[in-house]
Amino acid sequence: MKRIEREKVIRNAYRSTILALTICCFFLGTVLVIHEAAREYEVKVLEERLEAKGVVQNDEGLFGGVQLYLPEEIYVASGVTLELYNSQISSLGERIGSYNVKWTCAVGKNMYRKFSITGTDELTGTYPLIFTIFDDNGAQVAKASTKLRIVPAVTDSFSLLTIGDSLSCDTATYERLNELTDGQIIYMGTRGVGGSLTEARRGFSAANYRSDTGYTEEEPIEEVHPFYNEETEDFDWAYYKESTGFDPDAVEVFLGANGLSEDPAENGDNIAWIVRNIHKEDPKLPVYLVHTLYPANQDGIGSWSSKDGYALYGDRYKYEEDQKVFDLMLYLEESLKEEENLYFVPAGMCHDSAYNFNTVPVPVNPHSEEMMEVPDNAVHPGRAGYRQIADCLYSVICGTKAEWEQ
């Protein structure tokens, strides 16, 4: 009898074990299903975002339907070397490295990651420039073309007023412009960068210029910036001119880094509004709209921190940040394509974001003696970057100045 009871207990224990294991397997299976569904949803969202931008993935894992952008004309001033970087004219960003690319032009250099051209007096003229992307089978994926215009250097004096953010606050830009023009530019503004006057404010976006925003980043402190008119409650170019007495020959608008978003509409509309407000008062005043820069690499984005050690761009991803810059560039070009006396400056595609950011050596891991170079900033380049911006702006001015001198 005891033997039968013992076997009964064993059978019950066995059944209980089987039941518990079944429940565990069911639970784990449910977790795995939920996890896989979540992963598939994330992939689906990413694919929808890529498809919305004209980028679709093929069977080989590469991306087709690439969106490219080149302005109608690229200006290169005599004495300047200008470069166009493959990853910065494409919706793919750095993923363009999965493709084969080719620049076609009678002048310049078709290089691995860029097209490089040095302007000379002997090469002055207009040349077709074509950018083509091929897959590994040699099939054409996308193509864009523009007119490359090599133009003479500017030799006469003119005045310039810059409305910008921190990317307009480095002396290297103005030093390079002075070098290129032999000091012929007269700078205007209520603030100063080195020995040059500007209206550049660190951290400012176009939205800040349209509101009663104060400025405390550096001296002189402002309760509200001088473009804000309390009566109109907005950016007011006529009010600014009357209150400051400045009346420049040309205006540079260099905004966009602050306010970048996946949807470029709000930031882009505010920038466009400032341009139109200037032309409302001065319809013939030339405005040079500079496209903002692409950020540093992922190490620079991920490592950028405040003085207190807090992450500034902790959750941001290089590809997404590149998309924001690319989309804002396209949005502004489309929104303002009918605006007269407006000249786009393609600094975003002509700035070497791969090599122009200052770096610091850090260990490859906490316990290694081997070091690697990491950008110390995600947004603000080193001296070489600001000089490239100046080269690009100067080239566009050289190519268009005759139009507004008539």
Side-chain angles (χ1 to χ4, degrees):
M1 191 70 182
K2 290 182 178 180
R3 178 170 164 270
I4 294 173
E5 289 179 354
R6 187 167 56 250
E7 290 177 351
K8 184 177 180 181
V9 169
I10 293 172
R11 283 196 300 270
N12 288 339
Y14 177 77
R15 292 192 186 104
S16 297
T17 302
I18 295 298
L19 179 61
L21 289 173
T22 301
I23 293 173
C24 288
C25 290
F26 178 78
F27 175 76
L28 290 173
T30 302
V31 171
L32 289 172
V33 169
I34 294 174
H35 176 75
E36 182 63 20
R39 191 192 70 82
E40 291 179 354
Y41 175 75
E42 290 177 356
V43 172
K44 181 181 178 182
V45 169
L46 177 59
E47 289 177 345
E48 288 176 349
R49 287 174 57 191
L50 292 171
E51 186 175 355
K53 297 176 183 294
V55 182
V56 294
Q57 192 169 15
N58 60 29
D59 294 337
E60 288 74 32
L62 301 179
F63 289 85
V66 180
Q67 188 177 12
L68 302 178
Y69 175 75
L70 286 173
E72 292 184 3
E73 296 178 313
I74 297 286
Y75 296 97
V76 184
S78 180
V80 166
T81 296
L82 201 74
E83 297 187 332
L84 302 170
Y85 296 91
N86 301 346
S87 63
Q88 293 165 193
I89 65 167
S90 163
S91 58
L92 287 176
E94 293 180 334
R95 300 183 186 193
I96 202 170
S98 300
Y99 290 88
N100 302 296
V101 302
K102 180 177 73 171
W103 290 93
T104 304
C105 191
V107 296
K109 302 174 183 177
N110 174 27
M111 304 179 75
Y112 174 70
R113 65 187 185 95
K114 62 187 179 182
F115 174 80
S116 180
I117 174 67
T118 300
T120 65
D121 292 337
E122 292 75 19
L123 292 178
T124 298
T126 301
Y127 306 86
L129 175 62
I130 303 170
F131 179 70
T132 313
I133 301 179
F134 304 93
D135 64 20
D136 286 340
N137 296 318
Q140 180 177 303
V141 174
K143 183 170 73 172
S145 61
T146 184
K147 295 178 182 178
L148 179 68
R149 295 189 57 190
I150 300 178
V151 297
V154 166
T155 57
D156 53 340
S157 177
F158 65 96
S159 56
L160 178 70
L161 186 145
T162 297
I163 303 171
D165 51 32
S166 57
L167 291 174
S168 302
C169 288
D170 194 280
T171 58
T173 299
Y174 305 97
E175 289 172 359
R176 177 58 174 165
L177 287 172
N178 291 336
E179 179 184 317
L180 290 168
T181 62
D182 196 23
Q184 293 297 304
I185 300 178
I186 302 168
Y187 300 101
M188 294 184 174
T190 61
R191 308 196 65 83
V193 175
S196 305
L197 296 177
T198 74
E199 291 293 352
R201 292 167 176 81
R202 301 179 191 277
F204 259 49
S205 66
N208 292 132
Y209 278 109
R210 295 194 60 191
S211 61
D212 56 343
T213 309
Y215 187 63
T216 60
E217 288 289 321
E218 53 197 350
E219 297 290 340
I221 301 299
E222 298 171 341
E223 292 185 6
V224 62
H225 62 85
F227 294 98
Y228 185 76
N229 186 344
E230 292 184 357
E231 293 185 4
T232 61
E233 297 183 335
D234 213 325
F235 177 100
D236 191 329
W237 177 249
Y239 169 81
Y240 172 83
K241 287 179 58 179
E242 182 179 354
S243 59
T244 64
F246 292 128
D247 190 11
D249 295 321
V251 171
E252 173 195 5
V253 176
F254 192 179
L255 296 167
N258 301 305
L260 274 178
S261 174
E262 289 185 6
D263 183 353
E266 181 177 356
N267 197 12
D269 286 346
N270 283 326
I271 295 172
W273 196 96
I274 288 174
V275 171
R276 293 188 178 111
N277 182 265
I278 293 172
H279 277 160
K280 180 181 177 181
E281 170 68 14
D282 288 321
K284 294 185 178 181
L285 179 65
V287 175
Y288 289 89
L289 180 56
V290 185
H291 289 306
T292 198
L293 306 185
Y294 286 84
N297 62 27
Q298 188 60 49
D299 286 336
I301 292 172
S303 301
W304 195 25
S305 62
S306 68
K307 293 180 180 178
D308 299 323
Y310 288 95
L312 295 178
Y313 271 14
D315 63 341
R316 299 197 183 184
Y317 174 40
K318 169 68 172 171
Y319 174 70
E320 292 177 343
E321 296 307 300
D322 284 352
Q323 290 294 292
K324 293 175 185 178
V325 175
F326 184 80
D327 290 345
L328 178 62
M329 177 173 62
L330 264 61
Y331 189 86
L332 288 170
E333 295 270 353
E334 180 64 25
S335 299
L336 293 166
K337 63 182 180 181
E338 303 299 332
E339 191 77 13
E340 296 182 356
N341 299 308
L342 173 66
Y343 306 99
F344 292 102
V345 179
M349 63 179 64
C350 296
H351 170 259
D352 191 351
S353 65
Y355 290 96
N356 273 346
F357 290 89
N358 293 333
T359 61
V360 293
V362 299
V364 296
N365 65 61
H367 301 285
S368 175
E369 294 181 0
E370 185 176 348
M371 306 296 284
M372 61 183 288
E373 293 291 328
V374 173
D376 63 0
N377 196 296
V379 174
H380 307 102
R383 183 176 178 81
Y386 289 108
R387 288 174 68 85
Q388 269 195 313
I389 296 169
D391 286 349
C392 191
L393 172 61
Y394 171 72
S395 292
V396 179
I397 291 175
C398 289
T400 58
K401 190 168 182 289
E403 297 177 13
W404 47 268
E405 285 184 323
Q406 296 176 354

